[in-house]
Amino acid sequence: NAGVTQTPKFRILKIGQSMTLQCTQDMNHNYMYWYRQDPGMGLKLIYYSVGAGITDKGEVPNGYNVSRSTTEDFPLRLELAAPSQTSVYFCASTKDRGSNEKLFFGSGTQLSVL
Amino acid sequence: GESVGLHLPTLSVQEGDNSIINCAYSNSASDYFIWYKQESGKGPQFIIDIRSNMDKRQGQRVTVLLNKTVKHLSLQIAATQPGDSAVYFCAEIYTGGFKTIFGAGTRLFVKA
């Protein structure tokens, strides 16, 4: 199994540009998450999904959008990139929530907005 | 707001020594705790977990201790190896609210 796959690994955007960060998992996990990690900081939850067709906001959703049309895919959309969105983005998935919520992470997308 | 924090942002240990990484949590309702390891350029990986009805859990070379009285979590790594060099995150989960909170992480350096 490939696990959680994220693309691209690196990207530089100009202010105001848009892009989609791709995330796919082949573990048939219902629950998927997008986190951002700023230097020296912990992971902040952007959006999450509990299943196909269902998404919800996390701690820091402003400036982002998501969709979940299939169980496997959970893309993250940046519409108008801002320097504050410079960060490393991680997609994660888990089979169970709550008492057995071990997250499987992708390798991350390093995004710079200049 | 509630947060999970770490006492030491960096830790340097000699190869072969034991490492102890500490974590404080603030939500007394958190009932599940996980340690993740993040190597350079990679996403975090699950190391070990512990539920609130336990105070100690052992894995291969790693032990997690939970002290609910003072809301403290620690990760002990025995006979630390160069491959243990990474950033370690603790995460607290309130299973009733499906909420995971990550700490800022501790960077572990292992000196040969």
Side-chain angles (χ1 to χ4, degrees), chain A residues 83-100:
Chain A
S84 62
Q85 293 178 304
T86 294
S87 190
V88 181
Y89 292 84
F90 288 101
C91 179
S93 72
T94 184
K95 179 180 178 183
D96 299 308
R97 292 195 79 185
S99 61
N100 199 33

Side-chain angles (χ1 to χ4, degrees), chain B residues 59-71:
Chain B
Q60 188 176 12
R61 283 198 310 115
V62 293
T63 300
V64 55
L65 299 177
L66 175 63
N67 185 331
K68 295 182 288 294
T69 302
V70 295
K71 289 184 278 189

Side-chain angles (χ1 to χ4, degrees), chain B residues 78-93:
Chain B
T80 312
Q81 302 169 359
D84 295 326
S85 293
V87 175
Y88 290 82
F89 293 94
C90 63
E92 61 172 309
I93 299 165

Side-chain angles (χ1 to χ4, degrees), chain A residues 37 42 90 97 99 103 105, chain B residues 34 36 38 44 51 89 98 103:
Chain A
Q37 183 179 34
F90 288 101
R97 292 195 79 185
S99 61
L103 294 169
F105 286 87
Chain B
I34 299 177
Y36 289 91
Q38 184 179 23
R51 304 188 192 284
F89 293 94
F98 299 122

